[in-house]
Amino acid sequence: MTPSSPSTRLRTSRGEFAVVDVPATAPGAAKGVALLLPGYTGSKEDFALLHAPLAARGYRTVAVDGRGQYESDGPEHDEAAYTQGVLARDVLAQAHAIGAPVHLVGHSLGGQIARAAALLDHFPFRSLTLVSSGPARISDSQEQRVKLLRDALAVLSMAECWEAVLAMGPPEEVGGPARGLGGHEHLRRRWLGTRPAQLLATGRQLCTEPDRVAELAAVPLPFHVLSGERDDTWPVPDLDGMARRLKAHRTVVEGAEHSPNADRPGPTAHALADFWDGLAATP
């Protein structure tokens, strides 16, 4: 599975979404289905290297572009279309469309949207895994980068913004497109395909998200907090503390940073499958 793999369309009660849908390949019946939500400036392709190892462990995986993200439709300039509540209800519809209950996995911003969905209605989910997604707003250094991007989007087109970000340095170092799989051309296509209003609205969410861990801890779901051993967006000790508050299973992937799904996909996939297998074995 590569970032250039063709996507399909998932029809839901809230519209169509672009997905990469990979069936289980392990012998026998599939063990379950996982819905994978990407982070800020990311896309479904960020999970490309997880599909094969999870399929081999018996799990169908559906990675999705959220509303206005890369290949999923959404308004260009209406930020009200991208509130956290709207995006959370999209996730509930996606889960029902692929066959709830599903294992829900959210990376970074996707984790906060996943959390909001579980707080609205936990019944479509078998578990919730938060990947490099912390308890509240992002770190001060990352907030400055997001604000820089938002300022650029306010005065430049998406194409102009892309060129400006590249001129300033590596995109992920100046608040621009997240590092991802597929090389420069894929990242450029993804950037140009994403709606400016989606980036503005979700960037604001990242900078203002309150701590809702206590609310989430009251939800009767199994939780998993997974991260790399280093993270500039949410300090790893904050992720450790969140896991304790949630009484969550905790995985730290050695050699990985903010995107363990891309940095160390093999260990990340095995950690996810081990967690899900453990739930199935629990009486």
Side-chain angles (χ1 to χ4, degrees):
M1 185 62 55
T2 69
S4 60
S5 299
S7 64
T8 59
R9 308 298 294 182
L10 177 68
R11 294 183 179 180
T12 80
S13 61
R14 293 177 60 81
E16 290 190 356
F17 297 89
V19 300
V20 173
D21 187 342
V22 179
T25 57
K31 296 176 182 177
V33 184
L35 176 60
L36 313 177
L37 312 182
Y40 186 61
T41 74
S43 69
K44 59 192 178 304
E45 286 74 19
D46 295 343
F47 300 105
L49 300 180
L50 297 184
H51 293 297
L54 288 174
R57 291 285 298 268
Y59 292 96
R60 173 189 171 196
T61 48
V62 182
V64 61
D65 286 337
R67 182 182 298 269
Q69 195 173 38
Y70 189 27
E71 294 181 322
S72 288
D73 292 336
E76 288 281 328
H77 303 295
D78 181 11
E79 292 185 45
Y82 304 104
T83 65
Q84 190 181 78
V86 168
L87 300 179
R89 286 189 288 275
D90 286 346
V91 173
L92 296 175
Q94 292 157 8
H96 284 296
I98 64 176
V102 303
H103 296 292
L104 183 59
V105 179
H107 173 238
S108 196
L109 170 72
Q112 296 197 334
I113 295 169
R115 177 172 75 176
L119 288 170
L120 281 176
D121 181 4
H122 69 273
F123 287 103
F125 310 119
R126 294 180 64 185
S127 69
L128 172 59
T129 297
L130 303 173
V131 178
S132 304
S133 186
R137 69 180 187 86
I138 56 178
S139 67
D140 289 343
S141 63
Q142 291 297 320
E143 183 176 346
Q144 291 307 309
R145 294 173 182 177
V146 170
K147 287 181 177 177
L148 179 63
L149 173 57
R150 285 169 46 197
D151 289 346
L153 287 169
V155 295
L156 300 175
S157 69
M158 290 293 285
E160 291 169 336
C161 190
W162 171 262
E163 295 301 328
V165 166
L166 290 184
M168 289 187 286
E172 67 275 10
E173 294 302 318
V174 290
R179 182 172 63 84
L181 301 168
H184 175 87
E185 186 53 35
H186 165 69
L187 296 180
R188 181 178 181 276
R189 286 198 310 271
R190 180 174 73 177
W191 172 259
L192 295 177
T194 299
R195 310 306 190 268
Q198 192 271 355
L199 292 170
L200 289 166
T202 56
R204 187 172 294 105
Q205 290 168 34
L206 284 170
C207 296
T208 59
E209 178 74 2
D211 188 322
R212 305 186 70 187
V213 176
E215 291 177 69
L216 187 63
V219 173
L221 280 178
F223 300 115
H224 183 192
V225 175
L226 186 151
S227 74
E229 60 182 348
R230 296 175 297 279
D231 198 308
D232 291 335
T233 306
W234 285 279
V236 171
D238 288 357
L239 299 172
D240 293 337
M242 180 177 71
R244 288 191 294 271
R245 293 167 65 192
L246 290 173
K247 296 182 173 57
H249 183 72
R250 178 75 172 107
T251 297
V252 178
V253 179
E254 292 185 6
E257 299 189 20
H258 184 62
S259 297
N261 41 297
D263 296 338
R264 298 291 311 281
T268 299
H270 287 301
L272 290 168
D274 287 347
F275 171 61
W276 299 331
D277 285 353
L279 299 179
T282 302

